[in-house]
Amino acid sequence: MGFGGFSKQDHLQISSLGMEFAVAELLGIGLGFWLDSKCGTTPWMLLVGAVVGFALGFYIIFRAAKEMERQAQAGKVKKDNGRS
Amino acid sequence: MDVAEIISHHILDHDWGLSLGGWRLPITTHSVTIFVVSVLLLVGLVYISRARASRSGRLLTTLAESYITFVRDSLVLPNMGAEGRGFLPYFCTLFLFILSINLAGMIPEMKTATSNISVTAALAICSGGVILYSGLKYHGIIGFLKGFVPSGTPVWLVPLIFPLEIISTIIKVCVLAIRLFANMLSGHMVLLCLLLIIFIVGKMHIAAGAGALLPAMVLEIFMTCLELLVAFLQAYVFTLLTAIFAGSVIHTH
């Protein structure tokens, strides 16, 4: 079952994107915080980590969107009922 | 009445483990639940696989076969293709295991082990291992690593894109764990909070508590039904996402 040209698999992946963005951001912040505590550069690494995490989150979203667009244009994704 | 303490007592893990000569043997409510569920599944499935002669045995075998057909036809084959046949036992185990643990949490005196991030992280690591193995099996080490760079990427961008792709794959596996953990934890917290409404309101005035009884119980029954649905849904989603990720590693572009 799919809506609006998206397959069931696409819906699931889209629903994961928000959480993936959040995890990427937290990963960047965590890494920056750890580097700050090691090098004593508070708060610069934290800020850099936040920006890098933000960029990574957007990269994940853009990549997923591009992949779905490519599959839709190829017109070969009809996986809903179990067979390609 | 400390509401937070009651909720944490019912949701969190309790350790009554043993200390043996400096070594800690943790026996927790969640690990006992997992152990009981695993033993029941092992014994039950072995019984089903051998019980063929009687009528009830045939019924059980048919049920097991239809379950396996469901996992094969709606989860594995559409997402992994014919290459996924070899991974079918893993997906059957994964779905049934998560579903059983989720449902065990609905039984009184048993805990939902999937509301513990360690359990879901272990499951996600197993799924990550399967994704890694499927990529290595069908493409080899070099081909698998090449799959991380999207086709048409300029050469000068490869050193930037490659680590990003690896981290995003790791994040996808992390999200598998967090999603299952968060859904099961929050569902049970909502159930408890709805039940505690009666006692919180009742503490203000006994008549108010009696008045809150009926709406709270109706909501509680509704949420319990929803939790049963979520138990099935999350097991399905975890297995399906693992199959999708493994399929995307096998069929790289």
Side-chain angles (χ1 to χ4, degrees):
Chain A
M1 185 179 65
F3 301 101
F6 291 112
S7 68
K8 183 173 67 184
Q9 286 84 345
D10 288 343
H11 281 291
L12 258 181
Q13 284 187 312
I14 292 166
S15 74
S16 302
L17 284 179
M19 225 185 293
E20 282 176 30
F21 184 86
V23 171
E25 182 68 40
L26 287 176
L27 202 72
I29 289 176
L31 197 68
F33 189 76
W34 178 75
L35 280 175
D36 268 342
S37 64
K38 285 280 169 195
C39 311
T41 49
T42 312
W44 299 110
M45 287 298 168
L46 180 74
L47 292 174
V48 170
V51 171
V52 170
F54 196 76
L56 179 61
F58 264 101
Y59 172 76
I60 290 170
I61 290 174
F62 280 128
R63 173 104 166 78
K66 206 176 163 188
E67 180 70 15
M68 278 172 210
E69 193 187 351
R70 194 190 60 75
Q71 285 182 348
Q73 279 178 354
K76 61 181 177 143
V77 185
K78 288 283 171 275
K79 300 188 274 190
D80 269 351
N81 52 5
R83 306 278 181 223
S84 331
Chain B
M1 184 175 62
D2 189 353
V3 176
E5 196 181 315
I6 293 173
I7 292 176
S8 61
H9 174 80
H10 280 87
I11 298 285
L12 296 180
D13 211 2
H14 299 290
D15 190 352
W16 62 81
L18 309 166
S19 288
L20 299 169
W23 290 89
R24 180 95 182 133
L25 181 65
I27 301 171
T28 68
T29 44
H30 286 168
S31 62
V32 169
T33 306
I34 291 177
F35 185 73
V36 169
V37 167
S38 308
V39 169
L40 282 177
L41 281 179
L42 269 176
V43 173
L45 291 173
V46 167
Y47 173 77
I48 289 173
S49 67
R50 293 185 179 180
R52 280 186 176 273
S54 65
R55 190 173 173 180
S56 61
R58 279 202 304 275
L59 178 69
L60 287 173
T61 314
T62 313
L63 272 176
E65 278 169 5
S66 55
Y67 162 69
I68 292 167
T69 314
F70 159 72
V71 174
R72 189 190 64 191
D73 289 347
S74 71
L75 295 176
V76 177
L77 287 185
N79 298 300
M80 295 177 74
E83 293 92 341
R85 281 182 191 278
F87 297 98
L88 185 61
Y90 174 73
F91 287 102
C92 286
T93 312
L94 189 69
F95 185 89
L96 200 59
F97 186 65
I98 297 175
L99 178 64
S100 309
I101 293 180
N102 289 350
L103 289 179
M106 306 304 287
I107 301 170
E109 296 301 322
M110 287 186 88
K111 299 269 181 181
T112 316
T114 37
S115 63
N116 186 337
I117 187 77
S118 312
V119 176
T120 56
L123 289 168
I125 287 171
C126 290
S127 288
V130 166
I131 294 166
L132 189 69
Y133 174 71
S134 56
L136 289 175
K137 186 181 176 187
Y138 289 102
H139 299 293
I141 293 177
I142 304 294
F144 177 63
L145 292 177
K146 270 185 187 168
F148 281 110
V149 181
S151 56
T153 309
V155 179
W156 60 274
L157 264 180
V158 171
L160 183 68
I161 296 290
F162 185 70
L164 283 181
E165 282 291 321
I166 287 185
I167 295 171
S168 68
T169 308
I170 294 170
I171 286 174
K172 276 178 185 172
V173 177
C174 291
V175 166
L176 275 182
I178 295 170
R179 176 203 295 267
L180 181 59
F181 156 71
N183 275 294
M184 298 320 293
L185 184 76
S186 59
H188 284 261
M189 280 177 86
V190 169
L191 283 181
L192 269 173
C193 291
L194 285 174
L195 206 60
L196 285 173
I197 284 176
I198 303 167
F199 298 102
I200 294 168
V201 177
K203 207 164 187 187
M204 296 172 193
H205 196 279
I206 190 74
L213 188 68
L214 191 65
M217 287 316 291
V218 169
L219 275 173
E220 181 79 13
I221 292 167
F222 171 72
M223 281 307 297
T224 309
C225 296
L226 197 68
E227 267 301 288
L228 283 173
L229 174 73
V230 167
F232 279 93
L233 195 66
Q234 288 308 317
Y236 180 75
V237 165
F238 194 101
T239 317
L240 183 58
L241 278 175
T242 306
I244 290 173
F245 295 153
S248 68
V249 167
I250 292 173
H251 306 288
T252 48
H253 304 285

